[in-house]
């Protein structure tokens, strides 16, 4: 992870806690496979502070059972496209280069970004918005409300919604099946004016990062797809003056206008498809093109949405910090 | 536009037709402001073919009435964030650097990309998926079905849906209001194996480009957000062998697994928020922070979704061509 | 040109003067071909100040005689490599995409950068260091000494050296030949700490830009290749305290250590090969591979070094401004 | 190292040999500090072949004596600029992020690139061109001549020149001093047409990479700075037909015209300044700005040029492979 300011204190314990939120094997709703996801930091830290050099961490796989991965192409996985792209040379044990394991470094970098932002008054939190068609209740768009939800072991605000989601996961597992959901993240305290128009807008860079997370198939900001059904008079966020600064009365634009932050909370949602690895028999082919049926064994999450929460949070934190630091550049603007 | 192969024939008439699809003033559903959006090509073409040098075109504004744009910050527009970012130096006449006008060059480049792809057997088409809450009917995911819809003046497959959408637009206009919608684009004939894992995946690069289009607030691939409500056994695309090649029975992943094309049609949808410029009075502030009410005059589209269709199509074509050409690099792989 | 701060005053007259320094046809030592190199600014300026949007300027060719450019590959030109790369589709009239004409936009952008830097106390100047084996005298490494040389019509400090260089040019022209030389540029007043280690070092980014200038075949910083012959005790710049800040007694490292500015003047030199277009007969082949002799007609400079001076100056100014603005990001560092 | 084709066989022994060429402590002319520079490969290889995933290797420091590095700023080192940039937070033990140690990963990646190129008929070799003012003899620009020189323990073609260089190094060591030199590298067998005009030219990308190597202060291609003293009739490479293909009679342009390969050997030279760490007393200041004298203890090379040879070779191989693979993209061009 390059580009962190020098001299930042790194809270290694908080880092480990963030890693644990993504790590498998935490509870009844995730895979039995256990990884501590301990990070060995090789460079960039000295006496507990960043040095300005890139921070390099290594996370080793511990509980891998490569034998669980066979020759049939797993539907919904990148086995097929890896075969097309790498002509059979890809090492797809554990999903290879396309494995969800590769989100662990994102959480590592995101944890450093969150700590760095927190010292500047910016809080980034994520929670589950929906699982298996069950939506969480609406909560106030405040750092405390999101922070409280994010701190829960099963990060859903409404207890009844949480229970219903967990039941959906248990039902899916019992059926040898899986469920998907939606993760929502918000950043509070970002100043306005961050991001560049067009190709380096906050929306563009954050969406690009989120779509590099395996299983994410949709990204929306603020009202997102629901804005498509609204009228302008409803979707527009009326402006007012609050505490001496321009503010918006509502936040349908999710803190972003023209791809630039406006000082309101930045709100993003990512759709996570159901875990493609399921025990139920599926029709597929093997690498040689022979038709076969596949029941994916191995220890797979019936729902990866809870483990995706810190990943989406990390993506938002990374983009927010990058926009913030780049804005040092922007901040210089107009001074002449 | 850099990176086009040398020696490509450019069909200037088709290019002008594509530009006209986005241009304002075409019909009763768009703004009265008229721009021919004629492109003057300054470089990169010689005797009707690309030379390998960047193709540079200039599109001049013709029917601008800067007086229509005043000092109050228009809700839902980037006036506010431009003020924050550029400290009052931005030239916001016509929306300035954030204007939807800036999508005209995208359509120009996209038209060149579509022509280049067409010669390689790849077809890219877009159509309206929904306006004001009215959805188009489902159509077969074939180049002919999408091509037929895209060729319509109001690119909606189902005539009844089209009529209902147009009524929504008329109603909104009568109320001094606006409506949003969803645009859907598909690319047919792309080979498998295009795109890079993670940060340069087709999903990441295409989403980044789409989110640089003003008014786009959501992007999804294949089943997108609907996948979040499905079970794995439903969302997974079973694999089979068709015409001697591996294929998917369904296409919930929108032609992309792990961000890499799998040879199925690439399907993307973009949510377009309702035009923020509306005649109805809105609460806002001016640049000095004084509260005011604003009724946006000027000649604004009550619905920009039809004009966004060629823009989304252009984005998909540009990313598909880039992935295709980069795959020349990929194609070399594995030969050793 | 993107990334300029918003609100910068642009001195259009000074801009035109910089363009004229590069433009052909100024004096007896350059080509007879005349171009005013007037820039039409299409965007990014409003009421004499930058708006934050990209500044786009167009420079039209006026005095082109395409008939001067034939089918034989001109030795020393990119005709050959353009043929290899673009398979005969390149438009090589006037050198096409490889023409020295393409440095005009660099001078345009560089002039904007120099004005922006000047308002921040940074001065960038370039002069001729050598032509045809005749070197200019050593001058003090101060902004005034470099500025005085740069302001001369023939920017060489020492009058005798200037006369000898001009004689070399006249001799070469009389022989139907050409001569090369070395351009030296220096930036004064840059703060220390600009640039990033390794791949985005000031040396790396500036060298990359300079080597994109046609005819540049060598780049060195500070003592450059002469350092290779020195001992460490001679090459090292001893450190002292001057005006309360750390400074170097000498400047063999050209203001750059580890690719980062140290606050001393940044000094760079670029070797410019002799104009490859010469009237003397040369052995060559045509695009079909038939051996032929070529005497390049057309109106070519017997020495392009004087016209390369504002180009090298522009490259240094652009990299310096970019490093400066990026340092807004750096400046934020360490505050936590 | 990302972007390697999948399925490439990796010769781990040859890789280790290349690492050893750069490693310290090999002979009487380098530092006493010993590092085996063994690389532990963490990813991207499976059963001896590349998988298409990034190849990640870790090289651990073994024989570090941090106590050798004190508080005085070492003249000629990046200690000063690191202090300016990172405000005292940089970890400069061993030179920190600016250490020559950071060229070990370049050699690692370069070795993979060289093996990949060799299988495609491209050979990349480097040798010492000069040390302490003593130049090697001219040798034929053929892969065998360069390969023979590169294979020597002290890679200089002419035995007498080698002896004289070694004497210069011994003399410098005896004086508590150091000497610099020039490294020359050549790539044979690259096809024409590689590289992009302007900003991604082979000259630009290779120079950028070379200038990220600590101690490199000058880069030139082909005749380089000597071209500045030539006339056009001398510097131009006349063209002919050889073996049915266009070729150049001489190679003053170093295989590159307009930044694009022309099929002739690509020849580059890098000036390496003398090791700044010398035992002789030097005037300097400490981080607090107090004047002091410094005699750098520790085990430093009196001449790092021999160890820079594989680094320059690696840079050339990396750029050549990248241009080659990108040309898969170029190769597709013009087929339409």
């Amino acid at each position: 992870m390059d580009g962190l300011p020098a001299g930042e204190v790194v809270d290694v314990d908080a880092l480990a806690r963030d890693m644990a939120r993504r790590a498998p094997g935490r509870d009844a709703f995730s895979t039995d496979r256990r990884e501590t996801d301990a990070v060995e930091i090789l460079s960039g830290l000295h006496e507990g502070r960043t040095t300005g050099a890139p921070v390099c961490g290594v996370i080793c796989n511990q509980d891998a059972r490569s034998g669980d991965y066979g020759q049939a192409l797993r539907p919904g996985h990148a086995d097929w496209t890896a075969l097309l792209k790498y002509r059979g040379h890809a090492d797809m044990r554990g999903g290879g280069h396309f494995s969800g394991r590769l989100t662990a470094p994102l959480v590592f970098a995101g944890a450093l970004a969150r700590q760095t932002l927190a010292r500047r008054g910016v809080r980034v939190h994520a929670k589950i918005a929906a699982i298996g068609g069950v939506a969480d209740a609406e909560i106030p768009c405040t750092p405390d409300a999101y922070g409280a939800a994010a701190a829960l072991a099963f990060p859903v605000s409404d207890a009844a919604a949480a229970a219903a989601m967990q039941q959906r996961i248990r039902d899916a597992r019992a059926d040898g099946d899986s469920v998907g959901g939606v993760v929502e993240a918000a950043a509070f305290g970002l100043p306005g004016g961050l991001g560049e128009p067009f190709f380096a807008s906050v929306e563009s860079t954050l969406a690009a990062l989120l779509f590099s997370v395996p299983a994410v198939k949709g990204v929306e900001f603020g009202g997102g797809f629901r804005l498509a059904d609204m009228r302008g008079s409803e979707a527009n966020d009326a402006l007012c003056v609050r505490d001496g600064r321009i503010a918006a009365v509502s936040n349908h634009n999710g803190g972003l206008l023209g791809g630039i932050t406006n000082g309101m909370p930045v709100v993003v949602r990512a759709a996570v498809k159901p875990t493609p690895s399921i025990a139920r028999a599926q029709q597929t082919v093997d690498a040689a093109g022979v038709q076969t049926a596949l029941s994916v064994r191995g220890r797979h999450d019936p729902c990866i949405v809870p483990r995706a929460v810190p990943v989406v949070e990390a993506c938002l934190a990374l983009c927010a910090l990058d926009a913030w630091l780049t804005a040092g550049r922007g901040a210089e603007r107009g001074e002449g």
Side-chain angles (χ1 to χ4, degrees), chain A:
Chain A
M1 184 194 189
D2 203 357
L4 271 185
E8 294 288 319
V9 174
V10 172
D11 181 337
V12 179
D13 294 336
L15 178 62
R17 282 195 301 274
D18 274 350
M19 295 306 295
R21 291 165 64 201
R22 196 214 68 88
R26 282 188 310 146
D27 59 34
F29 304 108
S30 81
T31 168
D32 293 338
R33 189 162 46 81
R34 294 189 168 276
E35 303 277 359
T36 58
D37 276 357
V39 186
E40 181 190 4
I41 296 180
L42 299 185
S43 70
L45 286 193
H46 183 46
E47 297 176 357
R49 286 175 178 268
T50 56
T51 65
V55 178
C56 177
V58 172
I59 305 157
C60 293
N61 289 323
Q62 294 164 316
D63 186 14
R65 292 193 206 149
S66 299
D68 287 345
Y69 301 93
Q71 292 304 306
L73 302 177
R74 295 168 297 160
H77 271 286
D79 299 5
W80 180 16
T81 49
L83 177 70
L84 289 166
K85 184 167 185 62
Y86 301 118
R87 322 247 160 135
H89 294 295
D91 172 15
M92 292 305 287
R93 294 171 300 166
H97 190 36
F98 296 89
S99 165
R101 288 283 294 148
L102 295 193
T103 58
L106 277 178
V107 173
F108 166 68
L112 293 177
R114 284 179 70 224
Q115 295 183 16
T116 305
L117 286 166
R119 267 188 294 274
R120 287 155 178 79
V122 178
R123 287 174 61 182
V124 179
H125 296 295
K127 69 181 196 72
I128 296 169
I131 282 182
V134 178
D136 191 12
E138 291 269 319
I139 58 171
C141 196
T142 64
D144 289 344
Y146 273 77
L152 297 170
F154 193 83
V156 171
S157 295
D158 185 72
M165 292 179 194
Q166 293 177 341
Q167 189 59 44
R168 294 284 166 104
I169 299 174
R170 275 189 291 261
D171 290 350
R173 188 206 293 265
D175 295 345
D177 215 331
S178 63
V179 285
V182 177
V183 174
E184 182 173 289
F188 303 91
L190 280 172
L194 306 190
E196 296 292 318
F198 268 70
F199 308 121
S201 79
V202 171
E203 287 171 330
S204 289
T205 54
L206 180 48
L209 191 54
L210 284 168
F211 275 118
S212 73
V213 175
V216 169
K217 298 298 281 190
V219 168
E220 61 181 10
F221 295 91
F225 276 87
R226 283 160 296 161
L227 291 173
D229 296 344
M230 292 185 190
R231 281 191 162 194
S233 56
E234 182 184 7
N236 282 350
D237 299 311
L239 302 187
C240 64
V241 175
R242 194 184 299 146
D243 302 332
R245 312 175 74 164
I246 301 173
V249 174
S250 54
N251 192 20
H252 291 120
N253 282 288
L256 294 162
L257 287 167
I260 313 289
T261 59
N262 63 10
M264 301 290 291
V266 172
V267 180
V268 65
R269 261 180 303 278
V272 178
K273 72 179 184 184
T275 325
S277 296
I278 56 176
R280 291 181 66 162
Q282 303 175 79
Q283 169 191 349
T284 187
V285 299
D286 65 17
V290 177
Q291 193 79 37
T292 180
L294 174 70
S295 171
V296 181
R297 287 196 215 89
R299 301 152 295 166
H300 301 287
D301 302 78
C303 181
I304 51 171
V305 177
R307 292 178 57 205
V309 168
V311 178
V312 173
E313 188 182 270
C315 290
L316 176 52
L318 285 165
C319 284
L321 178 61
D322 187 64
W324 175 289
L325 291 175
T326 302
R329 204 183 146 123
E332 204 273 340
R333 296 187 176 177
E335 75 166 17

